[in-house]
Amino acid sequence: MEQLVGVIAKALVDHPEDVRVNVVEKEQLVIFELTVHPDDVGKVIGKQGRIAKALRTVVTSAAVKLDKRVTVDIMS
């Protein structure tokens, strides 16, 4: 799923070489920390957060097999 987040984010941004995905695992929670170039933060979040919400929905759907909660945090 780390690759899934990275591939989707790289398709959205102008600086794909700056996309980094860090995985933080806790007991029942997996956090994907998505770091992008400061100029690309708005493109990943989208108008009114629609793209970020869609990205989180895709990752949550893919995580059904894990039996854990999954979230995506967007950082610059």
Side-chain angles (χ1 to χ4, degrees), residues 26-72:
K26 297 185 179 179
E27 293 176 14
Q28 287 295 94
L29 178 66
V30 179
I31 302 171
F32 293 99
E33 295 177 343
L34 176 61
T35 306
V36 296
H37 190 276
D39 294 341
D40 292 329
V41 173
K43 292 179 181 175
V44 175
I45 294 173
K47 289 184 180 179
Q48 297 180 354
R50 288 184 182 144
I51 294 175
K53 183 177 178 181
L55 178 61
R56 289 183 179 115
T57 301
V58 168
V59 172
T60 303
S61 298
V64 171
K65 298 176 189 173
L66 291 180
D67 197 33
K68 290 186 177 182
R69 283 188 43 227
V70 176
T71 187
V72 177

Side-chain angles (χ1 to χ4, degrees), residues 16-33:
E17 66 278 357
D18 291 340
V19 173
R20 304 279 181 266
V21 181
N22 185 29
V23 180
V24 178
E25 292 193 39
K26 297 185 179 179
E27 293 176 14
Q28 287 295 94
L29 178 66
V30 179
I31 302 171
F32 293 99
E33 295 177 343

